[in-house]
Amino acid sequence: MGPEAKLYQKLRKKSSGITWTRLENLSLLGCPDLLGYNTFGHFFTVELKVTRGNKIKFSPHQIAFHKTHPKNTFIIAQALGPRSPKLVHMFRGSRISELAACGLKLDACYSGWEACRLALEA
């Protein structure tokens, strides 16, 4: 199982109040990894990223998707490097250009599993 698949499994366990659907779409380039549906009836998308350092790589299609769909889109990133904390960070999709430029040095809107879960369930 790859690092993003492991991140998805952990996200599923930590957010049982959300119904998750994996989006594996080869025809729509840049489409996020997950479609979420919370108990308040809100849909949202999540792009999962795992990195070894601070830099996060996005394809031009991923950047275009998040710029075109700035609301209800999120990016959850986790650094797995030897000197990095295993903390997850969540960013709004509308900030993808800043995130691509600054990486994990950019201030996340939520950090840690509990904060991310509460934000997505609200």
Side-chain angles (χ1 to χ4, degrees), residues 32-76:
D33 298 313
L34 304 172
L35 176 67
Y37 182 74
N38 67 21
T39 56
F40 293 103
H42 295 112
F43 283 100
F44 54 91
T45 62
V46 175
E47 179 67 40
L48 299 174
K49 288 293 181 183
V50 176
T51 181
R52 294 252 175 244
N54 283 327
K55 187 162 179 60
I56 302 174
K57 295 179 185 176
F58 294 99
S59 74
H61 299 290
Q62 290 171 321
I63 293 170
F65 181 93
H66 285 282
K67 284 187 167 191
T68 306
H69 305 91
K71 297 186 181 203
N72 296 333
T73 61
F74 300 94
I75 300 158
I76 293 180

Side-chain angles (χ1 to χ4, degrees), residues 99-115:
L99 188 56
C102 302
L104 291 177
K105 293 179 181 176
L106 182 69
D107 287 334
C109 58
Y110 304 97
S111 291
W113 285 114
E114 187 66 8

